[in-house]
Amino acid sequence: MSAPRSRDVAPLSAGVAAALSLLPAASDVERFRGEALRAPGRFAARMQGIERLHGAGKLSDAGMAELWTWAAYAVVVRGSPADTSVNEYARAIARLMEWAQAQGLDYGALTTADFDQWQKWLALTHRNGRDWRGVQLAAARQFYLWRFT
């Protein structure tokens, strides 16, 4: 049996595929995922890392599916650069989802008080400064604006 080629992309887990099927443009998102993971650059590495978080049970199937769908929207529809803006925003959204899951919260139903707690967690646990927390909050704003349109 030969080793997988570096350009081979593992299929989505059954749970993520099922969650993705409920979202708009699922087949386009799957194609975007394949192309993104095959491309060189920081975005591919970031998303592979986020998929490992999902595989470790730190992100839900629905969260992983929405993150890929949002990333596809940001790159394809909005024209945001994958290796810079979307890369950092995906990192922030994955971190938010991971935090919410660890707190027993639904990332889709967070309150203002929850976001305040997340910001405190970023500052105290990760020692994120005001500017980087602002970037992460901007990422959350963009994600939720997309999510509710």
Side-chain angles (χ1 to χ4, degrees):
M1 181 172 185
S2 65
R5 295 185 325 246
S6 63
R7 297 182 57 83
D8 288 344
V9 173
L12 287 168
S13 71
V16 174
L20 185 59
S21 72
L22 303 174
L23 298 173
S27 62
D28 292 336
V29 172
E30 287 193 60
R31 189 171 78 234
F32 170 80
R33 176 185 172 268
E35 291 172 6
L37 292 177
R38 284 183 195 95
R42 293 184 293 178
F43 180 66
R46 171 80 62 214
M47 293 308 289
Q48 288 167 353
I50 292 170
E51 286 195 345
R52 283 191 298 274
L53 280 176
H54 168 262
K58 295 183 177 189
L59 294 178
S60 69
D61 292 338
M64 192 74 244
E66 279 198 271
L67 186 56
W68 269 116
T69 303
W70 172 77
Y73 164 79
V75 171
V76 176
V77 176
R78 300 228 9 167
S80 299
D83 274 344
T84 55
S85 302
V86 180
N87 178 55
E88 293 304 323
Y89 277 24
R91 173 185 178 193
I93 298 308
R95 182 175 275 179
L96 172 61
M97 289 176 172
E98 180 182 10
W99 172 84
Q101 186 165 314
Q103 303 303 309
L105 301 170
D106 175 1
Y107 72 87
L110 296 176
T111 66
T112 302
D114 295 330
F115 280 102
D116 288 346
Q117 289 302 313
W118 178 56
Q119 291 288 295
K120 288 177 189 174
W121 177 78
L122 291 171
L124 299 173
T125 303
H126 291 283
R127 296 184 179 265
N128 291 162
R130 184 188 70 210
D131 291 345
W132 178 229
R133 287 193 321 270
V135 168
Q136 292 176 88
L137 198 53
R141 184 178 320 116
Q142 290 302 315
F143 176 75
Y144 285 98
L145 283 172
W146 163 81
R147 195 169 187 273
F148 292 113
T149 56

